[in-house]
């Protein structure tokens, strides 16, 4: 048994108060009578009388004591544990990266929440969840110590995300009568769904960290440019250094004003990997910035050198301007063929190609007229072709699988073909010599986009810098016989096997560091993942808040039942009050009195 209002037990102090009142004696009263001869000779008594005398048992005394007991019983609200009562509590830990700065506070909040809500008598079902919907439940059982032991599995590494999926899961586990507590580091603007209570353990915390980085080439030298930001409201002093090949540069002191961002830069070392390190603070995810020397895939382009008059020279000149490409000596060694139709070497179904029409003989061909209309396609979205001038001429033979991307009236200007072997072939149904296409930015962007799609499909190693949890897109062997991909991280040291069917779901690691992806011991990707989420790094809005009083009341109503006979006790209280009044009336109960 327990009491809903234990403080009401102070009302029991009314018992000694009633006893003290009945110990008191009334003062002697003077009575004037004429029959003095009837009075016996007696010892003179004090007119005042004693204030205290021996306690005399009486009906009003016992009724008044009973009134105090019943009144205290009703105010205290006795409750009994329900038969088969089960207390269900789900604790959802915010998986936002900012929570890593308050990890110790969050673990203490879990313990205090359990001590506040748990009843020592009822059976319990406890659930510990992360707000990351991709993670399984951290714990589900009845042992409070086991739930505490599961806390190290919680890894707050996400950006800003929606808590609704995890709270929906929690409500399904605890049922309609269970309690859900979300532990976060900031106060939410809107009320939580599924009747969840919020417990915020954050507080304003200063943080300085790396907020972004770029790698640029200038005069043949590679440079890194990193953004360092002070998110706090006060000036901060830090030290930073560059680490490469196990060696570190001397630390450099830097002072940042409140909310100041400063760009630091330097030449990329001879090594392919470098880490920018900052002196640690409460939020450690943005204190280290690993960088990888970018090495994109190189595309081999082949354009026939002769004859010059068919536009091959202009096509070669156009291809030479694209970065991360090389001109291949033969069509067999190339990734993309540049062709002026008709080609001297037949175009195979397994070859990627960019095809232009042969120039018309002479300049007598008329200019095409009519509106230029673009289809919706990623290759030409946002490009302006209205100033394109094209003469009547050869139309490259079309296939039923071709998709026309650009029309002028009813004549196709640009089409895309995907062959049965998976090759992509871009057909431009005009020549470079007589048209003004080489002067239009739209053509350069179109060719760049097309080459980029070929580069993405090419199975070859590359080195790239990523944000944490950024989606990875890489070409790999497919099919039933293809082996799984292996993602290996250095921090922490681990290897994850990913089936080929799930490769499109692969993301960069959740913690800063270097990693690589292989398939059948063939290197596909080398990468460096760094933290660059400015919203999570800003801890100025973190503040404490708690709303557990309602949950405590709900848990009490769920596991305990009130006294079902309270109406009877109330009637008994009224009866005792009436009885005490009746027996205390003049003529029924007379306290000590004297006559003189």
């Amino acid at each position: 048994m327990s009491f809903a209002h234990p403080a009401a037990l102070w009302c029991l102090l009314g018992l000694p108060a009633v006893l003290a009142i009945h110990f008191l004696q009334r003062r002697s009263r003077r009575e004037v009578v004429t029959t003095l001869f009837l009075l016996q000779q007696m010892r003179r008594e004090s007119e005042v009388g004693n204030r205290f005398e021996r306690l005399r048992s009486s009906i009003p005394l016992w009724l008044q004591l009973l009134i105090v007991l019943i009144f205290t019983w009703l105010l205290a609200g006795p409750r009994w544990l329900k038969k088969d009562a089960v207390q269900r509590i789900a604790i959802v830990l915010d998986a936002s990266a900012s929570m890593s700065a308050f990890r110790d506070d969050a673990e203490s909040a879990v313990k205090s929440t359990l001590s506040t809500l748990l009843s020592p008598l009822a059976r319990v079902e406890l659930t510990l969840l992360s707000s990351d919907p991709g993670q399984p439940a951290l714990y589900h059982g009845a042992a409070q110590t086991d739930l505490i032991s599961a806390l190290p599995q919680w890894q707050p590494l996400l950006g800003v995300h929606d808590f609704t999926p995890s709270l929906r899961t929690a409500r399904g586990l605890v049922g309609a009568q269970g309690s859900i507590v979300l532990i976060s580091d900031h106060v939410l603007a809107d009320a939580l769904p599924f009747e969840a209570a919020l417990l915020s353990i954050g507080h304003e915390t200063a943080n300085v960290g790396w907020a972004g980085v770029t790698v640029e080439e200038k005069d043949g030298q590679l440079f890194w440019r990193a953004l360092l930001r002070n998110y706090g409201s006060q000036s901060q002093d830090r030290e930073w250094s560059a680490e490469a090949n196990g060696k570190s540069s001397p630390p450099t002191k830097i002072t940042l004003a409140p909310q100041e961002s400063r760009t630091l830069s330097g030449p990329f070392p001879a090594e392919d990997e470098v880490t920018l390190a900052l002196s640690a603070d409460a939020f450690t995810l943005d204190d280290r910035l690993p960088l990888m020397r970018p090495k994109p895939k190189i595309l081999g382009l082949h354009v026939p050198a002769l004859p010059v008059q068919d536009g091959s020279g202009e096509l070669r000149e156009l291809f030479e301007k694209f970065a991360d490409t090389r001109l291949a000596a033969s069509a067999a060694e190339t990734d993309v063929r540049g062709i002026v139709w008709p080609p001297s070497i037949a175009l195979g179904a397994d070859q990627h190609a960019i095809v232009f029409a042969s120039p018309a003989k002479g300049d007598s061909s008329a200019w095409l007229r009519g509106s230029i209309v673009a289809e919706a396609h990623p290759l030409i979205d946002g490009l302006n072709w209205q100033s394109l001038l094209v003469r009547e001429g050869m139309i490259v033979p079309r296939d039923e699988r071709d998709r026309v991307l650009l029309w002028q009236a009813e004549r196709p200007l640009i089409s895309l073909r995907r062959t049965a072997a998976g090759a992509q072939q871009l057909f431009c149904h005009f020549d470079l010599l007589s048209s003004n296409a080489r002067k239009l930015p739209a053509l350069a962007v179109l060719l760049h986009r097309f080459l980029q799609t070929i580069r993405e499909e090419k199975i070859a190693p590359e080195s790239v810098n990523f944000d944490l949890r950024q989606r990875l897109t890489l070409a790999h062997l497919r099919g039933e016989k293809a082996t799984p991909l292996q993602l290996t991280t250095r921090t922490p040291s681990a290897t994850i096997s990913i089936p080929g069917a799930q490769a499109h779901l692969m993301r960069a690691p959740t913690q800063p560091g270097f990693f690589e992806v292989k398939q059948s011991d063939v290197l596909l990707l080398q990468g460096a993942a760094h933290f660059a989420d400015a919203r999570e790094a800003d801890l100025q809005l973190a503040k404490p808040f708690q709303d557990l009083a309602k949950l405590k009341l709900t848990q009490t109503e769920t596991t305990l039942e009130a006294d079902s006979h309270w109406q009877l006790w109330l009637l008994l209280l009224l009866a005792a009050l009436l009885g005490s009044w009746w027996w205390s009336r003049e003529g029924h109960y007379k306290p000590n009195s004297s006559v003189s």
Side-chain angles (χ1 to χ4, degrees), residues 575-596:
L577 284 172
L578 291 175
S580 177
W581 169 77
W582 175 263
W583 290 104
S584 299
R585 292 188 311 157
E586 189 73 22
H588 288 82
Y589 171 65
K590 295 183 179 179
N592 299 329
S593 61
S594 60
V595 181
S596 60

Side-chain angles (χ1 to χ4, degrees), residues 212-492:
V213 65
T214 58
V215 179
E216 302 173 351
E217 185 177 354
K218 184 178 181 180
D219 299 331
Q221 174 67 43
L222 204 61
F223 290 86
W224 57 264
R225 294 171 59 87
L227 183 66
L228 190 62
R229 178 170 175 78
N230 175 18
Y231 298 92
S233 57
Q234 297 181 356
S235 178
Q236 298 290 324
D237 297 327
R238 292 292 190 273
E239 291 183 350
W240 72 274
S241 60
E243 303 173 358
N245 198 22
K247 299 180 181 179
S248 178
S249 65
T252 302
K253 293 185 178 181
I254 186 172
T255 301
L256 296 175
Q259 301 295 323
E260 179 186 0
S261 298
R262 189 177 304 179
T263 301
L264 305 179
S265 63
F268 214 95
E271 293 80 3
D272 290 341
E273 300 175 359
V274 63
T275 300
L276 304 181
L278 189 69
S279 52
D281 51 22
F283 187 71
T284 59
L285 282 175
D286 59 358
D287 292 339
R288 295 182 66 83
L289 195 155
L291 286 176
M292 177 77 66
R293 180 187 293 272
K295 294 180 180 179
K297 301 174 187 177
I298 303 298
L299 287 182
L301 306 179
H302 174 263
V303 180
L306 295 175
V308 177
Q309 64 273 15
D310 67 353
S312 299
E314 285 74 10
L315 185 57
R316 175 182 292 270
E317 180 183 351
L318 186 62
F319 277 9
E320 288 177 345
K321 297 179 180 179
F322 291 104
D324 306 322
T325 60
R326 62 177 179 84
L327 293 178
S330 65
E333 301 174 357
T334 187
D335 296 307
V336 181
R337 290 182 60 185
I339 297 175
V340 177
W341 195 269
S344 57
I345 302 176
L347 177 61
D350 59 344
Q351 293 179 323
H352 302 292
I354 298 176
V355 182
F356 286 88
S358 297
K361 296 181 180 180
D363 296 333
S364 58
S365 300
W367 296 102
L368 291 178
R369 297 179 178 275
S371 301
I372 297 178
V373 179
E375 299 284 348
H377 194 275
L379 287 180
I380 60 173
D381 282 347
L383 301 183
N384 184 4
W385 298 92
Q386 299 305 314
S387 57
L388 177 63
L389 297 177
V390 176
R391 292 182 180 273
E392 290 281 1
M394 176 186 296
I395 298 179
V396 180
R398 294 172 56 190
D399 188 273
E400 60 181 7
R401 293 166 297 183
D402 292 358
R403 178 177 179 180
V404 178
L405 305 182
L406 190 68
W407 299 83
Q408 185 162 17
E410 297 181 356
R411 186 184 189 279
L413 294 182
I414 300 175
S415 62
L416 179 66
R417 177 182 302 174
R418 170 75 76 167
T419 67
Q424 295 190 71
Q425 299 170 353
L426 183 67
F427 292 90
C428 298
H429 303 276
F430 54 85
D431 66 275
L432 287 175
L433 291 179
S434 63
S435 69
N436 67 340
R438 286 177 296 165
K439 301 178 181 180
L440 299 182
L443 179 65
V445 175
L446 169 66
L447 298 183
H448 171 76
R449 291 177 178 177
F450 180 77
L451 293 177
Q452 188 61 28
T453 60
I454 304 302
R455 181 177 286 107
E456 292 175 355
E457 294 181 359
K458 181 180 180 180
I459 301 178
E462 61 178 331
S463 299
V464 188
N465 294 301
F466 297 93
D467 292 347
L468 294 184
R469 300 181 64 87
Q470 182 177 341
R471 187 178 296 278
L472 302 181
T473 302
L474 69 162
H476 59 91
L477 296 176
R478 303 173 185 271
E480 296 180 357
K481 298 182 179 180
T483 58
L485 282 70
Q486 305 292 327
L487 190 151
T488 302
T489 59
R490 301 185 196 172
T491 309

